[in-house]
Amino acid sequence: MADENMSKDLVNAAFEKKNAEEEQQEEVKVKEEDKATEGDIITFQRNGQQLEAVVTSSKLENSVVCDMTIMDDFHERNLDFEKTVVAHTNYSIKQRRDV
């Protein structure tokens, strides 16, 4: 009987932890007006480097696709790709596109 109660307690603890993690993730959502749109210039950290890019697609739910070749020193940085995906929570908007 003690083993049964301990198993129930472990299962309950696991569900409580999962629910707490899900609630925390929901709190991190970025407001629509704070999300970058196509043409915006964003900055973000990747592998210890401060990078800058222009947003080329903002149609993804939780992130944007951006082109890093706008950086003057792009080729000297030896980055693997010209484009990358950045989560809304991991960038800041440096400049809004001119409308």
Side-chain angles (χ1 to χ4, degrees):
M1 185 96 134
D3 288 338
E4 223 175 275
N5 287 338
M6 191 165 87
S7 293
K8 286 180 183 179
D9 289 343
L10 288 173
V11 170
N12 287 337
F15 278 114
E16 288 174 12
K17 181 178 179 185
K18 182 179 179 192
N19 289 338
E21 288 172 354
E22 288 173 353
E23 287 175 11
Q24 187 177 22
Q25 287 176 350
E26 288 178 14
E27 292 175 13
V28 175
K29 291 189 178 182
V30 177
K31 294 178 185 174
E32 210 53 44
E33 61 267 14
D34 294 334
K35 293 180 182 178
T37 57
E38 291 177 22
D40 291 350
I41 297 174
I42 62 170
T43 61
F44 57 97
Q45 290 278 329
R46 176 85 36 96
N47 297 328
Q49 296 185 59
Q50 180 74 22
L51 302 173
E52 188 173 290
V54 62
V55 176
T56 58
S57 177
S58 57
K59 296 181 191 293
L60 301 172
E61 186 175 329
N62 297 314
S63 54
V64 293
V65 178
C66 56
D67 184 341
M68 298 179 290
T69 60
I70 67 163
M71 293 183 291
D72 292 334
D73 61 348
F74 173 77
H75 295 291
E76 289 81 35
R77 290 178 181 251
N78 295 320
L79 299 169
D80 294 332
F81 303 100
E82 292 179 355
K83 294 188 176 187
T84 191
V85 176
V86 184
H88 291 306
T89 55
N90 293 336
Y91 66 78
S92 59
I93 299 171
K94 180 178 180 180
Q95 179 182 339
R96 292 281 187 182
R97 110 187 121 162
D98 295 332
V99 179

